[in-house]
Amino acid sequence: MSGFVERVTGGASPLGVLLRISVLGLVVYQAVVFTGTLVGEQAWVGLAAMWAATVALVWLFTRRGHTPLKFIVPGTLFLLVFQIYPVLYTGYVSLTNFGTGNVLDKAGAIEQLQAQATRVPTDAVRYDVAVFADPDAGEDPGVEGIGLLLTDPDEQVFFGTAEELVPLEDLPDVTLEDDRVVAVGAYERLSLVEAQAVQTALGQLRVPAEAGAIQLQSLTTAARAETTRTYDEERDVLVDTGTGVEYTPVDGNFVSDDGDVLQPGWVAVTGPGNYTRAFTSPLIRGPFLRVFAWNYAFAIGSVFLTFALGLGLALALNEPRLRSRRLYRSLLVIPYALPSFLTALVWAGLLNTEFGAVNELIGANIPWLNDPVWAKVSILLVNLWLGFPYMFLVCTGALQAIPADMLEAASVDGANAWQKFARITLPNLMITVAPLLIASFAFNFNNFNTVYLVTRGGPPIQGAQTPAGHTDILVSYVYRIAFESGRGADYGFAAAIAVLIFVMVAGISAYSFRYTRSLEEIA
């Protein structure tokens, strides 16, 4: 024990020892807490990875020395959890059919499909019903917060929920008043008036029973319904017993020979179909390529315009004979200090065709946000307003780093202002600024805020199968596919576009950084 304490303390101060033990204890505690969740989800790979990381951290920080590893290992773990894993998981989702109608696992989809196809036969078992609800579920408890006290013709009493049907005598916590059940566990009995208030949820409630489910016929009666769909596990086929039609699994859905698709389906790996859709489907390819081209134009245009204006202002305010330079510089930074999402919303109001201050000021009726061309101009102008202060600050700092004697020597040699700028100022400036221009390009390539808050990607591209607009960039296009599609979310296709964005930005950044190294060699 003393050896362990010596390894943990390592000669540190009592406060340092307490901090180290507390952090290690928190790490182990979190691992224990999440173990139950991961076991319940049967996420064995995640469970093994979590405990491997926990053991590695405890072992490392209870040993003397290994100082570099004590910095590298936690950083690497954070990198894996918060960057590498999301990228890999997005890549996995892009190879699936994950989306509206395909969010369950296969067993859950089969259960839902069987619950959908139920009928009450003429000889079905009937029950007298009393409705119960969990008060902790609130005024709208939903299906999960409702229970039914069911009495069959043989006077056997059961308590059923959406999860199970249990004989009342097997439940330990039953409250009686005058031989009348008033509470079962957390569930309390409702009057007929109170039950009517949750009638929607009652109509959706299905209590699982043998070869079917129990469903309400009225607020006081229920019947055992039988499913008309049975699942043949050996053949992996869903059979409609009423019609005899068989449904086989195809890419996450049960499909008949006639092409009838049952919903819901389940999440299944479908291969690179989401990628090929973007380039081969005529209804997707056209809008996608337009969004793709505009994305590059928007990112390049934003970087060029903000850099040009920022550099011009920095050069103008770098003149030592100019008075009140500090005041001017402070005023120019104001757009950068304001929250960008708030500024974008303000500009959306200013550019409103009918009520916007811009049209009123210039006495025109320009459709800034409704015409495809003007909407793109509006986006570039708003992004120029938001981005030029950053470039102004960067260029101002870079100009201060250029040796004054170089410019003086050029003046002595007879160079004019343009020659000094082109041959001395700009090359030296680019050594410092070029990596920041690359970062600015990557930022604007994924500049969701400006596009979505000003135009919401509109105006829409007519005839597009997916929700695409003339000012959409890929990231806003992905968002609208995932969350705003009129036919439901398509997370798999959205993830495929996200992977393409990642590959493009990573490739351009890698190439550009190689170019910036060549600038340093020239300088």
Side-chain angles (χ1 to χ4, degrees):
M1 182 66 181
S2 60
F4 174 78
V5 173
E6 178 66 19
R7 289 196 303 271
V8 173
T9 59
S13 65
L15 181 61
V17 172
L18 179 62
L19 180 62
R20 185 181 301 182
I21 293 176
S22 300
V23 171
L24 289 176
L26 182 62
V27 169
V28 174
Y29 171 76
Q30 291 295 332
V32 172
V33 168
F34 282 108
T35 294
T37 302
L38 294 174
V39 169
E41 296 291 334
Q42 297 184 347
W44 308 120
V45 175
L47 180 66
M50 181 186 69
W51 274 107
T54 302
V55 171
L57 288 173
V58 172
W59 179 88
L60 181 62
F61 284 91
T62 55
R63 294 292 187 276
R64 286 188 177 183
H66 307 294
T67 301
L69 286 177
K70 289 178 180 178
F71 289 93
I72 294 173
V73 170
T76 302
L77 291 176
F78 276 104
L79 177 68
L80 290 172
V81 172
F82 294 107
Q83 290 193 351
I84 304 300
Y85 173 74
V87 171
L88 294 178
Y89 183 73
T90 303
Y92 160 73
V93 172
S94 71
L95 299 174
T96 69
N97 62 346
F98 186 30
T100 299
N102 295 86
V103 297
L104 303 171
D105 58 14
K106 189 174 182 180
I110 293 172
E111 182 179 343
Q112 288 285 336
L113 291 170
Q114 289 179 319
Q116 289 175 2
T118 57
R119 63 181 181 87
V120 178
T122 55
D123 59 345
V125 179
R126 311 279 172 169
Y127 299 86
D128 292 328
V129 173
V131 180
F132 287 67
D134 184 354
D136 293 336
E139 295 182 0
D140 185 14
V143 173
E144 295 78 10
I146 294 177
L148 300 179
L149 188 69
L150 302 162
T151 305
D152 68 10
D154 297 329
E155 298 299 322
Q156 292 183 323
V157 184
F158 303 86
F159 190 76
T161 64
E163 296 180 353
E164 60 182 351
L165 179 68
V166 183
L168 187 67
E169 61 188 19
D170 294 344
L171 296 173
D173 192 8
V174 178
T175 304
L176 299 175
E177 288 184 5
D178 299 330
D179 295 330
R180 181 171 177 263
V181 179
V182 295
V184 178
Y187 293 86
E188 297 180 359
R189 189 170 189 141
L190 302 182
S191 66
L192 289 177
V193 174
E194 292 171 330
Q196 187 139 14
V198 294
Q199 194 166 8
T200 301
L202 287 171
Q204 298 172 350
L205 178 63
R206 299 290 184 271
V207 178
E210 184 179 356
I214 299 172
Q215 62 187 46
L216 284 179
Q217 301 293 290
S218 68
L219 292 178
T220 59
T221 61
R224 178 173 296 187
E226 297 177 351
T227 182
T228 59
R229 290 173 182 161
T230 59
Y231 177 63
D232 187 337
E233 188 172 355
E234 293 184 359
R235 299 168 54 213
D236 194 17
V237 170
L238 193 68
V239 182
D240 190 319
T241 57
T243 62
V245 176
E246 295 186 348
Y247 296 85
T248 56
V250 178
D251 290 338
N253 287 94
F254 280 107
V255 183
S256 69
D257 293 338
D258 296 334
D260 183 24
V261 180
L262 298 181
Q263 290 286 351
W266 62 93
V267 178
V269 176
T270 56
N274 289 317
Y275 295 94
T276 57
R277 277 175 61 196
F279 300 102
T280 59
S281 173
L283 296 177
I284 295 178
R285 183 176 63 242
F288 174 78
L289 292 178
R290 293 171 71 171
V291 171
F292 179 83
W294 162 243
N295 201 155
Y296 273 96
F298 169 73
I300 295 171
S302 295
V303 173
F304 175 77
L305 291 174
T306 55
F307 176 65
L309 182 57
L311 176 58
L313 292 172
L315 289 170
L317 295 179
N318 198 46
E319 174 56 51
R321 293 172 296 178
L322 182 66
R323 295 182 179 181
S324 304
R325 287 191 299 166
R326 292 183 179 179
L327 175 62
Y328 296 144
R329 286 171 175 169
S330 299
L331 292 175
L332 289 174
V333 175
I334 289 177
Y336 191 54
L338 297 174
S340 61
F341 74 92
L342 180 61
T343 306
L345 289 174
V346 170
W347 271 106
L350 293 174
L351 294 172
N352 184 279
T353 303
E354 297 180 5
F355 310 107
V358 174
N359 276 346
E360 291 185 6
L361 183 64
I362 63 177
N365 192 34
I366 300 174
W368 294 102
L369 307 179
N370 302 322
D371 179 78
V373 176
W374 281 112
K376 292 177 180 178
V377 172
S378 301
I379 289 291
L380 289 173
L381 289 176
V382 173
N383 215 35
L384 175 61
W385 171 263
L386 293 171
F388 86 86
Y390 170 74
M391 290 299 180
F392 167 71
L393 291 173
V394 168
C395 293
T396 298
L399 288 173
Q400 307 300 320
I402 299 176
D405 55 355
M406 294 178 63
L407 297 173
E408 292 174 1
S411 298
V412 171
D413 291 341
N416 58 33
W418 170 252
Q419 290 173 328
K420 287 189 290 183
F421 173 77
R423 301 292 181 84
I424 297 175
T425 302
L426 187 59
N428 283 277
L429 188 75
M430 291 301 295
I431 295 174
T432 304
V433 175
L436 300 177
L437 294 180
I438 298 169
S440 179
F441 175 85
F443 171 80
N444 283 293
F445 201 86
N446 294 302
N447 193 348
F448 176 83
N449 279 0
T450 302
V451 171
Y452 192 77
L453 295 177
V454 176
T455 65
R456 290 189 174 269
I461 297 174
Q462 299 300 323
Q465 184 181 8
T466 52
H470 286 279
T471 58
D472 263 322
I473 58 176
L474 290 172
V475 67
S476 66
Y477 182 53
V478 167
Y479 176 83
R480 295 176 69 186
I481 289 172
F483 300 107
E484 294 186 352
S485 174
R487 296 170 301 160
D490 192 347
Y491 302 118
F493 185 63
I497 306 300
V499 171
L500 292 176
I501 295 173
F502 172 79
V503 172
M504 286 186 289
V505 173
I508 292 171
S509 300
Y511 175 80
S512 300
F513 277 119
R514 290 182 61 186
Y515 176 72
T516 58
R517 284 200 296 269
S518 66
L519 288 177
E520 295 177 4
E521 294 173 1
I522 293 174

